[in-house]
Amino acid sequence: MIRGSTELVAIIGSPIAQVKSPGNFNAWFTEHGQDLAMIAVDIAEPHLASFIQALRGWNNLRGCVVTVPYKQVLASQLDQLSPRAAALGSVNVIRRDADGRLQGDNVDGEGFLKAARAHGFQPAGSRALVVGSGGVGAAIAYSLCESGVRQLVIADLDQPRAEALAERLRSHFPLLEIGNRYDSLEHFDLVANATPVGMGGTGEMPLPGVLLETLSPTALVADVVTSPVLTPFLEVAQGMGCRIQTGPEMARAQMGNLGAHMGVMPVDA
Ligand code: NAD
């Protein structure tokens, strides 16, 4: 029930009908007796700047989750960014401070890592392969670097994009081994698909079958794709005895990070 006293958070993007966050956040607010609610807001791009300006004066709004296609464009329209959001040039959550200032962060990578740790993955000293160097791949790669991986390899069909990300990360984490080359999966403790490949039940794989045969059975294999939950990539990994992490597990793990940034729930919610 939204009352006059209810404080709001929003999720903004376009389109918006497909997002799961309002259901998850509102269920949590209700279960925990909070006078808070999340609304889904579909904003057309030409009106984004005036919407952001209105947020500064929106006194009963605590913050916004940001989704496609506005994660990058909003990074340049806020009052302050966390170091990782600044490094990534993208935000997926905004806090509105009491004085109206808008503070951006990107917790995609933290949500991914929280889910991975729950599967027993220990990032410090590990070797990780991230396939996909777009918004989500970059956020996962940044968080892996922050948590002290020994070796990070970033792959992408768009090779210059993967190389540019590796270069950028090397400038932030000069002591880590960050590259774009690999010819086998056998040494990786984590192999993550951070591309949309496999989404919508196409049956496509982000890595060729011959490479997948080299997966170590001790590896954690993760996918960011949320539908289907069990992608063909994860099915193959599971068949080889690997632990797997699904896209919905990453999304669920991230809820606390998003809520904590907006100041409406604890980070481990
Ligand atoms: P993006 O378009 O920014 O990046 C995708 C990257 O994948 C591109 O660089 C592209 O070149 C690369 N790519 C595509 N096919 C490839 C292939 N076969 N091999 C190697 N690289 C390939 O997209 P994004 O914003 O990073 O989103 C990626 C996916 O993550 C989407 O499916 C999105 O729905 C999902 N996502 C999941 C969560 C979650 O919580 N599970 C959160 C956010 C986004």
Side-chain angles (χ1 to χ4, degrees), residues 1-3 5-9 24-38 62 255 259 262-266 269:
M1 173 69 81
I2 297 184
R3 304 175 184 82
S5 59
T6 304
E7 289 197 290
L8 300 173
V9 289
N24 295 335
F25 274 80
N26 288 323
W28 193 93
F29 293 147
T30 303
E31 278 161 26
H32 293 80
Q34 302 291 307
D35 192 10
L36 282 157
M38 176 175 273
R62 303 282 293 275
M255 185 170 96
M262 296 186 290
V264 296
M265 61 178 59

Side-chain angles (χ1 to χ4, degrees), residues 32-265:
H32 293 80
Q34 302 291 307
D35 192 10
L36 282 157
M38 176 175 273
I39 55 171
V41 179
D42 184 339
I43 286 286
E45 169 111 48
H47 302 283
L48 194 59
S50 49
F51 176 76
I52 290 299
Q53 187 53 22
L55 285 187
R56 294 190 168 91
W58 190 338
N59 286 330
N60 66 344
L61 185 118
R62 303 282 293 275
C64 288
V65 174
V66 180
T67 188
V68 181
Y70 298 139
K71 291 182 177 186
Q72 280 84 16
V73 65
L74 281 186
S76 60
Q77 299 188 24
L78 306 180
D79 300 308
Q80 198 168 355
L81 297 181
S82 67
R84 67 180 158 225
L88 292 166
S90 77
V91 294
N92 75 340
V93 62
I94 301 168
R95 179 178 66 252
R96 180 191 178 282
D97 286 338
D99 61 2
R101 283 174 61 80
L102 302 177
Q103 313 275 356
D105 196 4
N106 187 321
V107 297
D108 270 325
E110 290 306 288
F112 177 92
L113 263 190
K114 199 199 281 180
R117 285 194 175 100
H119 282 289
F121 173 67
Q122 311 229 344
S126 69
R127 297 170 191 262
L129 169 67
V130 177
V131 184
S133 58
V136 171
I140 292 171
Y142 190 92
S143 286
L144 285 167
C145 290
E146 264 191 325
S147 53
V149 288
R150 170 155 45 130
Q151 185 197 17
L152 174 66
V153 178
I154 300 160
D156 200 299
L157 273 186
D158 182 343
Q159 220 172 314
R161 192 178 198 186
E163 283 166 7
L165 176 60
E167 185 62 41
R168 198 146 41 100
L169 289 172
R170 278 193 291 269
S171 72
H172 289 280
F173 303 97
L175 300 179
L176 300 186
E177 185 187 335
I178 303 169
N180 302 104
R181 301 198 182 287
Y182 66 105
D183 47 23
S184 158
L185 304 180
E186 63 185 320
H187 298 301
F188 291 115
D189 305 299
L190 171 74
V191 177
N193 174 39
T195 79
V197 175
M199 193 163 69
T202 59
E204 285 174 290
M205 302 288 256
L207 290 168
V210 283
L211 259 184
L212 289 176
E213 284 170 17
T214 66
L215 267 172
S216 159
T218 60
L220 174 65
V221 177
D223 208 321
V224 299
V225 167
T226 50
S227 177
V229 174
L230 202 57
T231 57
F233 172 57
L234 291 182
E235 272 175 342
V236 168
Q238 199 171 38
M240 294 185 64
C242 300
R243 286 163 296 148
I244 59 163
Q245 173 179 318
T246 67
E249 285 179 296
M250 168 182 167
R252 178 61 190 83
Q254 196 182 158
M255 185 170 96
N257 299 81
L258 295 167
H261 182 77
M262 296 186 290
V264 296
M265 61 178 59

